[in-house]
């Protein structure tokens, strides 16, 4: 089974702090994604990466950056956390060439910024 | 840009009954993929069912089936013999089929409750 893990299930940070969210997948997938999930808004794509050191902006990249130094790991960085970044963050991965490009999700990190 | 609309924020179904969740989408593409994902409370999101737009036959996975109406751009999910474990948020999602098309566009979700 594909396994996507995220470093924390719950995180509490202060406004202005630098925040790192880590995601690791164990199935050698080329593509990795970061979403944020908010009630009534569904999932919105922040960034994705289709290869090591490659990244593309999603729909809501402002206030976020990402890093992918190794194929299995994709990090989401909040340079200076703000209260409006309080949300659930979901990581996903998918292999190139998979039928339909099915994505496999991690358990999520619920971030509270005070 | 593609959009996905789920018009039912919440639904409920009696255990063992059938329920249909609605999804419509907007695209100018002729070939694409559609998905239903399930997110149980405090658990990981998992794929329920997938449909390729070029296939006329509706996808089925055990108690889950879809009604894919390409001309109407409609993609509803039918859950038969509902079980307590079906209670979850359900998200409809769309993806272009072209090379380099990695992004999924999600609807806002439908929260399904199953009444014992």
């Amino acid at each position: 089974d594909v396994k996507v893990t995220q470093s924390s299930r719950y995180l509490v940070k202060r406004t202005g702090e630098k925040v790192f969210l880590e995601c690791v997948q164990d199935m050698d997938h080329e593509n990795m994604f970061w979403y944020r999930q908010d009630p009534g808004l569904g999932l919105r794509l922040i960034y994705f990466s289709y290869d090591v050191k490659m990244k593309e902006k999603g729909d809501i990249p402002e206030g976020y950056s990402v890093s992918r130094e190794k194929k299995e790991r994709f990090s989401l960085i909040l340079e200076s956390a703000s209260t409006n970044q309080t949300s659930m963050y979901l990581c996903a991965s998918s292999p190139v060439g998979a039928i339909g490009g099915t994505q496999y999700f991690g358990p999520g990190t619920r971030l509270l910024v005070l | 840009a593609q959009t996905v609309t789920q018009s039912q924020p919440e639904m409920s179904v009696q255990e063992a009954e059938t329920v249909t969740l609605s999804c419509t989408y907007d695209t100018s593409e002729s070939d694409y993929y559609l998905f239903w994902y399930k997110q149980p409370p405090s658990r990981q999101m998992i794929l329920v069912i997938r449909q390729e737009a070029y296939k006329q036959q509706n996808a089925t996975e055990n108690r889950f089936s879809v009604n894919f109406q390409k001309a109407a751009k409609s993609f509803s999910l039918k859950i038969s013999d509902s079980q307590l474990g079906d209670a979850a948020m359900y998200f409809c999602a769309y993806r272009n089929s072209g090379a380099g098309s990695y992004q999924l566009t999600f609807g806002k979700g439908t929260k399904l409750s199953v009444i014992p």
Side-chain angles (χ1 to χ4, degrees), chain B residues 11-51:
Chain B
M11 290 195 72
S12 62
V13 62
Q14 206 78 31
E15 197 175 2
E17 297 295 310
T18 295
V19 65
T20 299
L21 308 184
S22 301
C23 173
T24 58
Y25 58 94
D26 187 26
T27 184
S28 58
E29 303 291 330
S30 60
D31 198 14
Y32 47 86
Y33 298 99
L34 295 163
F35 307 82
W36 278 100
Y37 279 88
K38 170 186 178 181
Q39 186 180 39
S42 301
R43 293 180 61 188
Q44 259 159 287
M45 183 145 5
I46 56 172
L47 178 70
V48 175
I49 200 164
R50 175 184 60 225
Q51 175 80 41

Side-chain angles (χ1 to χ4, degrees), chain A residues 37 40 99-100 102-103 105, chain B residues 35 37 39 44 50 52 108:
Chain A
Q37 181 180 8
I99 296 174
T102 300
Q103 294 185 13
F105 285 83
Chain B
F35 307 82
Y37 279 88
Q39 186 180 39
Q44 259 159 287
R50 175 184 60 225
E52 290 92 341
K108 295 181 178 181

Side-chain angles (χ1 to χ4, degrees), chain A residues 4 9 31 33 35 37 40-43 45 48 50 58-59 90 99-103 105-107, chain B residues 33 35 37 39 42-47 50 52 89 91 95 100 102-109:
Chain A
V4 180
R9 291 300 301 271
N31 302 323
F33 307 82
Y35 296 91
Q37 181 180 8
L41 296 179
L43 278 75
L45 182 66
F48 68 97
Y50 53 89
D59 299 319
L90 296 178
I99 296 174
T102 300
Q103 294 185 13
F105 285 83
Chain B
Y33 298 99
F35 307 82
Y37 279 88
Q39 186 180 39
S42 301
R43 293 180 61 188
Q44 259 159 287
M45 183 145 5
I46 56 172
L47 178 70
R50 175 184 60 225
E52 290 92 341
M89 283 292 292
F91 292 95
R95 176 184 171 263
Y102 305 115
Q103 286 184 251
L104 290 177
T105 300
F106 286 86
K108 295 181 178 181

Side-chain angles (χ1 to χ4, degrees), chain A residues 8-111:
Chain A
S8 305
R9 291 300 301 271
Y10 301 95
L11 212 50
V12 181
K13 296 292 181 181
R14 295 284 179 187
T15 302
E17 279 193 78
K18 191 169 186 177
V19 182
F20 293 87
L21 303 183
E22 301 281 329
C23 175
V24 177
Q25 49 96 3
D26 67 356
M27 285 301 291
D28 203 36
H29 287 173
E30 289 80 5
N31 302 323
M32 296 187 75
F33 307 82
W34 275 107
Y35 296 91
R36 67 176 279 175
Q37 181 180 8
D38 299 289
L41 296 179
L43 278 75
R44 294 178 291 166
L45 182 66
I46 305 172
Y47 268 97
F48 68 97
S49 168
Y50 53 89
D51 202 351
V52 175
K53 297 191 186 294
M54 305 303 289
K55 61 185 179 185
E56 293 283 342
K57 293 180 180 179
D59 299 319
I60 52 164
E62 296 78 18
Y64 304 94
S65 62
V66 291
S67 172
R68 193 165 181 204
E69 297 296 321
K70 293 185 177 182
K71 191 174 185 179
E72 68 271 17
R73 189 179 298 269
F74 191 35
S75 301
L76 180 69
I77 303 155
L78 288 66
E79 294 289 343
S80 177
S82 63
T83 55
N84 62 14
Q85 292 178 310
T86 291
S87 187
M88 169 73 90
Y89 290 89
L90 296 178
C91 176
S93 71
S94 73
V96 168
I99 296 174
T102 300
Q103 294 185 13
Y104 300 86
F105 285 83
T109 295
R110 192 169 292 281
L111 173 66

Side-chain angles (χ1 to χ4, degrees), chain B:
Chain B
Q2 290 79 19
T3 58
V4 177
T5 301
Q6 294 178 248
S7 58
Q8 307 148 316
E10 295 189 28
M11 290 195 72
S12 62
V13 62
Q14 206 78 31
E15 197 175 2
E17 297 295 310
T18 295
V19 65
T20 299
L21 308 184
S22 301
C23 173
T24 58
Y25 58 94
D26 187 26
T27 184
S28 58
E29 303 291 330
S30 60
D31 198 14
Y32 47 86
Y33 298 99
L34 295 163
F35 307 82
W36 278 100
Y37 279 88
K38 170 186 178 181
Q39 186 180 39
S42 301
R43 293 180 61 188
Q44 259 159 287
M45 183 145 5
I46 56 172
L47 178 70
V48 175
I49 200 164
R50 175 184 60 225
Q51 175 80 41
E52 290 92 341
Y54 65 86
K55 289 187 178 179
Q56 293 187 341
Q57 186 173 7
N58 289 326
T60 62
E61 287 287 342
N62 301 315
R63 297 182 295 107
F64 298 87
S65 62
V66 298
N67 183 4
F68 173 49
Q69 302 288 329
K70 191 172 184 179
K73 297 181 182 175
S74 171
F75 183 61
S76 60
L77 175 70
K78 185 171 85 170
I79 306 174
S80 303
D81 185 27
S82 296
Q83 301 175 359
L84 295 178
D86 294 333
M89 283 292 292
Y90 286 82
F91 292 95
C92 179
Y94 166 99
R95 176 184 171 263
N96 284 333
S97 65
S101 297
Y102 305 115
Q103 286 184 251
L104 290 177
T105 300
F106 286 86
K108 295 181 178 181
T110 296
K111 184 178 181 181
L112 178 66
S113 301
V114 180
I115 303 164

